Amino acid sequence: MAKAAWVFPGQGSQAIGMGTDLATVSLAQERFAEAESVLGWSVLDVTQDPDDKVSNTLYTQPCLYVIESILTDLLKAQGHRPAVVAGHSLGEYVALYAAGVFDFAAGLALVQRRAELMDQASDGMMAALLGFDADELNAKIEATPGVVLANDNNPGQVVISGTPAAVTAVMEGVKAKRAVKLNVSGAFHSPLMAEAAAAFEQVLNPVPFANAQVPVLSNVDPTPAVDAMVLKQRLVQQMTGSVRWREITLALPELGIDTVVEVGPGNVLAGLTKRTCRDLALSNVGNLAQVEGFSG
């Protein structure tokens, strides 16, 4: 029997129309209604907006959380359970929900506030680099004040984050097959998010966390943990800390994991995983048909 890790994608995996097919299921209908009472707006209205409203950070993060949580609930309703969970940036909140750390509404309220604070962080810039020499890149980052490695996704893909001048200097100073500025509002996962992170910590502190029902591999620390306070502290650090996704992926086989199930729209994490650990079996559950066809 497969021993599966469920992983949850973050910002960048959203798509117009995502989640629409779920609206025919009563469990999903209840979740969408609960989400509207928390958010004050309809997730399905946003995801179906032809002007790509869903790609605005204010809406992207809550919409992904809601849809990925519904997919999780539907999988669990069929009797499926993960052995380990992890989520990429925003996806870590769904991982914590899937592990029973907080309830749906509590997680959604946190995600909505996180999105608001990140959207307001207008200073800074992020860029993705593909096909580079890791030693050259690390040396250039170390020699350039104001820029950090924000997402260590796999051996051939990273995201850097920092001041526009510093990010541009690294992009121009390192040989890469591709270097692309990201369309985001700020320098996420960098020290430039410190003010937003401090504000978010005040929101996060009073929220009750339970011990996780399955181990969680966090973005800032890829070692498995179930202790509520440890998981909360890692979440506090997440907004300014690097997403260590390559290390999370490498940890999975050591935990006996043989299958990675990406729960959410698209297949970004499956692609990253394939580049890092070729022996892991990959599966995607991003819509109702894939839920119904999932065999575990």
Side-chain angles (χ1 to χ4, degrees), residues 34-101:
E34 187 177 1
E36 188 165 353
S37 70
V38 172
L39 298 169
W41 46 267
S42 164
V43 167
L44 288 176
D45 284 352
V46 169
T47 61
Q48 295 177 85
D49 188 301
D51 294 326
D52 200 21
K53 190 175 183 178
V54 72
S55 287
N56 179 318
T57 294
L58 279 173
Y59 298 104
T60 309
Q61 296 187 18
C63 287
L64 284 171
Y65 173 88
V66 170
I67 289 166
E68 292 175 21
S69 295
I70 289 171
L71 292 168
T72 298
D73 291 340
L74 291 173
L75 287 173
K76 287 186 173 182
Q78 292 184 349
H80 303 296
R81 295 290 185 275
V84 175
V85 294
H88 193 285
S89 193
L90 174 277
E92 187 167 321
Y93 288 78
V94 192
L96 292 169
Y97 169 68
V101 173

Side-chain angles (χ1 to χ4, degrees), residues 181-218:
K181 178 184 174 183
L182 300 184
N183 183 23
V184 293
S185 58
F188 303 159
H189 300 291
S190 84
L192 292 180
M193 297 298 295
E195 188 175 333
F200 184 68
E201 185 174 3
Q202 299 307 307
V203 177
L204 184 62
N205 280 338
V207 177
F209 274 39
N211 290 339
Q213 295 163 4
V214 296
V216 180
L217 279 67
S218 302

Side-chain angles (χ1 to χ4, degrees), residues 138-154:
N138 291 334
K140 183 64 177 176
I141 290 173
E142 205 163 305
T144 309
V147 63
V148 296
L149 183 66
N151 296 358
D152 181 8
N153 286 328
N154 70 22

Side-chain angles (χ1 to χ4, degrees), residues 2-260:
K3 188 175 180 183
W6 290 7
V7 299
F8 303 90
Q11 205 159 339
S13 292
Q14 71 277 2
I16 296 172
M18 68 176 186
T20 306
D21 59 336
L22 301 175
T24 59
V25 182
S26 59
L27 184 154
Q29 290 168 356
E30 292 171 9
R31 283 282 181 257
F32 283 129
E34 187 177 1
E36 188 165 353
S37 70
V38 172
L39 298 169
W41 46 267
S42 164
V43 167
L44 288 176
D45 284 352
V46 169
T47 61
Q48 295 177 85
D49 188 301
D51 294 326
D52 200 21
K53 190 175 183 178
V54 72
S55 287
N56 179 318
T57 294
L58 279 173
Y59 298 104
T60 309
Q61 296 187 18
C63 287
L64 284 171
Y65 173 88
V66 170
I67 289 166
E68 292 175 21
S69 295
I70 289 171
L71 292 168
T72 298
D73 291 340
L74 291 173
L75 287 173
K76 287 186 173 182
Q78 292 184 349
H80 303 296
R81 295 290 185 275
V84 175
V85 294
H88 193 285
S89 193
L90 174 277
E92 187 167 321
Y93 288 78
V94 192
L96 292 169
Y97 169 68
V101 173
F102 43 62
D103 65 27
F104 173 79
L108 181 54
L110 287 174
V111 167
Q112 183 179 32
R113 186 62 185 136
R114 178 184 190 266
E116 290 168 351
L117 289 167
M118 292 177 77
D119 186 64
Q120 292 164 12
S122 57
D123 292 335
M125 174 176 159
M126 300 181 77
L129 281 74
L130 293 86
F132 49 84
D133 180 274
D135 290 337
E136 181 190 12
L137 175 63
N138 291 334
K140 183 64 177 176
I141 290 173
E142 205 163 305
T144 309
V147 63
V148 296
L149 183 66
N151 296 358
D152 181 8
N153 286 328
N154 70 22
Q157 181 188 333
V158 300
V159 174
I160 58 174
S161 182
T163 65
V167 170
T168 301
V170 173
M171 291 174 72
E172 294 176 349
V174 172
K175 291 180 182 177
K177 287 183 180 177
R178 196 169 174 220
V180 185
K181 178 184 174 183
L182 300 184
N183 183 23
V184 293
S185 58
F188 303 159
H189 300 291
S190 84
L192 292 180
M193 297 298 295
E195 188 175 333
F200 184 68
E201 185 174 3
Q202 299 307 307
V203 177
L204 184 62
N205 280 338
V207 177
F209 274 39
N211 290 339
Q213 295 163 4
V214 296
V216 180
L217 279 67
S218 302
N219 287 190
V220 299
D221 189 337
T223 56
V226 296
D227 182 83
M229 290 303 99
V230 170
L231 294 171
K232 180 179 279 193
Q233 184 55 40
R234 290 179 176 181
L235 211 54
V236 168
Q237 298 167 356
Q238 195 218 59
M239 205 178 281
T240 55
S242 296
V243 176
R244 296 164 63 182
W245 195 258
R246 179 181 58 85
E247 294 174 73
I248 287 174
T249 306
L250 289 170
L252 296 178
E254 296 178 10
L255 297 172
I257 298 298
D258 53 30
T259 303
V260 172

Side-chain angles (χ1 to χ4, degrees), residues 276-289:
T276 307
C277 289
R278 294 184 180 277
D279 292 338
L280 289 169
L282 303 173
S283 181
N284 288 85
V285 179
N287 55 47
L288 185 58

